[in-house]
Amino acid sequence: MNVRDALRQTRERLQASGVDEPGFEAEYLLRYVLDCTRESILLDLDTDISPSAQCHFDSLVGRRAAGEPSAYITGHKEFYGLDFKVDPRALIPRPETELLVEMALDFASRRSTGGNGLTIVDVGTGCGTIAIAIATHLPGASIIATDISPDALQLAYENAARHDVQDRVTLLHGDLFAHLPRPIDILVSNPPYIPSTELPNLAREITHHEPRLALDGGPDGMAVIHRLIEQAKDNLSPSGAMFIEIGWDQGERAMSRAQHLWPNSQASITPDLAGLDRILTIRPPVPSALPV
Ligand code: GLN
């Protein structure tokens, strides 16, 4: 079979199985099997696919049609221009989380050259994307990345080594701020924030394959966000900041929680590229003027 027919048949098969963007997914999997770029596949539509490549492709398409996410099938996901190893030990990185990295890097660059001297922490690092992306862009920074899941930390280590930042990304097993040094200058986190009752309604790619621990934010989705704000009060440097990813409908609630849990702190919400509430930023209260 040639590339054109393989793409067409696969698109139809994936579409019939209820897969989103079936044309893109078919091409992505075929490019992975043939180990080629988008340009070359489109230039070679008449090329025949070898029987062994065809057989490999069919088995991957079968997994995709059954609902397994492409990133787990290929073991790769790009995030912030870097290639990460991904598997069911941790959540697949999402493009909207890149904003968290961008905001942390912007804040860091206004405080230090190359991140030197800053204590930067990524709480709930998963496969390590946020910490590793920050480390690769701040050559002077040391970053502590924590997770409650030992499996996720193992994967994060593999990714840190892949990007040669394993000496500057310290992985710590623990819950939220446990065992962390203080004060922290920059805290970033993509915590679980989906309400428990909504989990069964998410796409099967998520509910049947990604770790529940990385998604389940308790009854209203904000249990971990709540604890992060509470603990940040005692751990954040007076000139520091925390950046937390939130759900698209949690902006208002996150603001009022921040004001309630940490009175006078400076909280704001930043929307993602789709215009949806995405990042909660909190800075400690401005120190009051010294008495005269
Ligand atoms: N953004 C993810 C999703 O939509 C959720 C990530 C999280 O809970 N941190 O599935």
Side-chain angles (χ1 to χ4, degrees), residues 91 94 96-97 190-194 202 206 210 214-216 245 278:
L91 200 74
R94 314 287 208 254
E96 56 271 24
T97 304
N190 176 15
Y193 56 71
I194 309 284
L202 299 178
I206 302 174
E210 296 196 271
L215 294 161
D216 189 347
E245 180 169 324
R278 190 58 63 195

Side-chain angles (χ1 to χ4, degrees), residues 2-69:
N2 66 24
V3 167
R4 177 183 285 104
D5 292 341
L7 286 176
R8 184 180 43 76
Q9 278 187 14
T10 305
R11 188 184 63 237
E12 288 167 7
R13 179 172 174 194
L14 293 179
Q15 187 153 28
S17 311
V19 169
D20 273 349
E21 303 189 80
F24 171 83
E25 297 270 334
E27 189 198 298
Y28 175 76
L29 291 176
L30 189 56
R31 273 197 281 132
Y32 173 72
V33 168
L34 300 179
D35 190 21
C36 65
T37 63
R38 174 135 220 255
E39 292 69 33
S40 66
I41 213 169
L42 296 177
L43 286 172
D44 291 334
L45 290 172
D46 294 320
T47 308
D48 276 330
I49 301 173
S50 74
S52 69
Q54 180 73 51
C55 183
H56 185 199
F57 183 53
D58 283 347
S59 83
L60 302 191
V61 170
R63 288 165 62 185
R64 186 68 195 91
E68 193 172 341

Side-chain angles (χ1 to χ4, degrees), residues 226-243:
H226 193 116
R227 289 173 59 219
L228 275 170
I229 300 172
E230 265 182 332
Q231 297 186 18
K233 262 194 324 198
D234 301 322
N235 290 280
L236 213 57
S237 148
S239 59
M242 72 192 287
F243 303 93

Side-chain angles (χ1 to χ4, degrees), residues 84-86 90-93 125-129 132 147 152 155-157 159-160:
F84 286 92
K85 176 176 176 180
V86 289
L91 200 74
I92 298 166
T125 195
C127 67
T129 40
I132 293 165
D147 208 289
L155 180 57
Y157 180 78
N159 276 316

